[in-house]
Amino acid sequence: MSQANRQPTRDKHKKPLPVVVYEPNSRVRHPIKLLQEMWYDLLASRELAWQLFQRDIQSQYRQSILGVLWIFIPPLVSAVGLTFLREARVLNLGDTPIPYPVYVALSMTLWQTFIQVFNNTMGAARSAKGMLMKLNVPPEAFILSKVSQTLFNFLIQLIPIFFLFVWFKVGVTWTILIAPVAFIHLILFGTGLGLILSPFSCLYGDVNKAISFVTRLWLFVTPVIYPQPREGFWAILVKINPVTPLLVTTRDLATTGEISNVAGFWIASAVAIILTLFGWIFYRLSLPFLVERA
């Protein structure tokens, strides 16, 4: 038998080689390790976050004549304009538990702080992408910087609010001491929502345009310029709005001390905490893909 005829017989006894499939090791499969990395990076990001915060604050008021006055202007202009329309009976906004100028100025400050932390956190991926392409830095630093910048602006806005309280002789109770707790939950909700939308905002410009329209409509279903309605279809929309119990409770604790919706506040607070944790994980896992597509 020739060599050519014996070759097929020998091939029949050969064992097939094993097929090896290489798959990426997803970090979601090791949640404990992932959470530990996130916590360590959060602690390690404090110094970089402070540097970014200083840079953002300086650039915010560079080449500005009025400086920090621009922080005062938006809520005060809104308060003056809405008060004028209410007194002229152009708008029937109902009765408020405290003088209306104080009510709307405080409410607009809380609302604008929520929107600012939401927008700033949503834009964190865009600001982080360039630096993460060149340096190995913790991505949490960019979030801490944006949130710190928002809180700094909020503290500045509290100065005219304080004088409005004194001018209109608005009494406060001891509950003003725990108002920051409700306010932190409001900040957490905006941060979590911004973290979830941050990757999409980085990839698709349409997201930013859509969010600007959504936030404008969102204002009207939040009891910012009017007291919370008690009945009707509009009352249902306002009630199911998760920002409503967080903002209203913060305002109530800072003024009258009477919480109007305790159950709604705790439900919205739980949602805010879960949303922040989920958004943090999603932001963390999506950043490598965003850097690759840069």
Side-chain angles (χ1 to χ4, degrees):
M1 185 179 293
S2 64
Q3 183 71 18
N5 295 332
R6 290 198 301 266
Q7 185 67 31
T9 305
R10 194 166 56 241
D11 291 342
K12 291 180 180 180
H13 299 286
K14 281 187 176 182
K15 294 182 178 180
L17 296 176
V19 178
V20 180
V21 179
Y22 294 95
E23 296 181 352
N25 187 15
S26 177
R27 300 165 70 186
V28 181
R29 297 179 181 177
H30 309 282
I32 303 300
K33 184 179 179 180
L34 175 61
L35 293 176
Q36 289 177 344
E37 292 178 358
M38 292 167 56
W39 176 250
Y40 292 146
D41 283 350
L42 179 64
L43 298 179
S45 64
R46 290 174 296 180
E47 184 177 352
L48 177 59
W50 173 249
Q51 295 176 357
L52 293 173
F53 166 74
Q54 290 180 310
R55 183 203 64 180
D56 293 340
I57 292 298
Q58 291 174 359
S59 63
Q60 182 178 354
Y61 302 112
R62 188 178 299 153
Q63 298 179 345
S64 175
I65 298 177
L66 298 180
V68 295
L69 291 179
W70 286 113
I71 302 179
F72 299 151
I73 292 175
L76 291 181
V77 169
S78 300
V80 172
L82 289 170
T83 301
F84 175 78
L85 294 176
R86 183 173 181 267
E87 295 298 326
R89 301 186 182 278
V90 176
L91 295 176
N92 183 15
L93 300 174
D95 297 328
T96 55
I98 58 176
Y100 187 74
V102 185
Y103 179 91
V104 71
L106 177 59
S107 301
M108 286 298 298
T109 299
L110 293 174
W111 170 257
Q112 290 178 359
T113 302
F114 164 73
I115 293 298
Q116 186 178 11
V117 74
F118 170 47
N119 289 329
N120 287 348
T121 306
M122 188 174 61
R126 293 195 303 272
S127 60
K129 189 168 58 174
M131 187 174 294
L132 289 174
M133 291 175 58
K134 304 174 183 178
L135 302 174
N136 183 18
V137 294
E140 287 76 12
F142 301 91
I143 303 300
L144 288 178
S145 172
K146 296 300 183 182
V147 174
S148 300
Q149 181 182 356
T150 304
L151 294 178
F152 175 81
N153 292 337
F154 173 74
L155 292 177
I156 299 298
Q157 288 177 333
L158 286 182
I159 297 176
I161 300 297
F162 170 78
F163 286 105
L164 285 176
F165 269 64
V166 175
W167 179 266
F168 288 95
K169 299 179 181 180
V170 178
V172 296
T173 63
W174 66 270
T175 57
I176 195 174
L177 299 176
I178 60 175
V181 176
F183 176 71
I184 290 174
H185 292 166
L186 180 64
I187 295 298
L188 286 177
F189 187 82
T191 302
L193 196 60
L195 285 172
I196 293 175
L197 294 177
S198 181
F200 301 103
S201 172
C202 186
L203 293 175
Y204 309 106
D206 293 338
V207 174
N208 300 319
K209 297 178 181 179
I211 290 298
S212 64
F213 289 106
V214 171
T215 52
R216 292 173 188 173
L217 295 175
W218 202 349
L219 171 63
F220 294 108
V221 292
T222 307
V224 174
I225 63 176
Y226 56 85
Q228 186 171 352
R230 301 297 179 183
E231 57 185 13
F233 177 73
W234 196 256
I236 297 176
L237 291 178
V238 173
K239 187 175 182 179
I240 63 177
N241 177 8
V243 177
T244 295
L246 298 175
L247 188 146
V248 170
T249 301
T250 304
R251 185 177 61 205
D252 291 343
L253 291 174
T255 54
T256 62
E258 299 178 0
I259 304 178
S260 56
N261 188 1
V262 178
F265 167 73
W266 287 116
I267 293 174
S269 297
V271 171
I273 295 173
I274 296 173
L275 195 67
T276 302
L277 180 59
F278 176 79
W280 185 8
I281 296 174
F282 183 69
Y283 168 79
R284 176 94 180 196
L285 296 177
S286 62
L287 269 184
F289 300 97
L290 297 178
V291 173
E292 290 178 1
R293 295 191 57 176

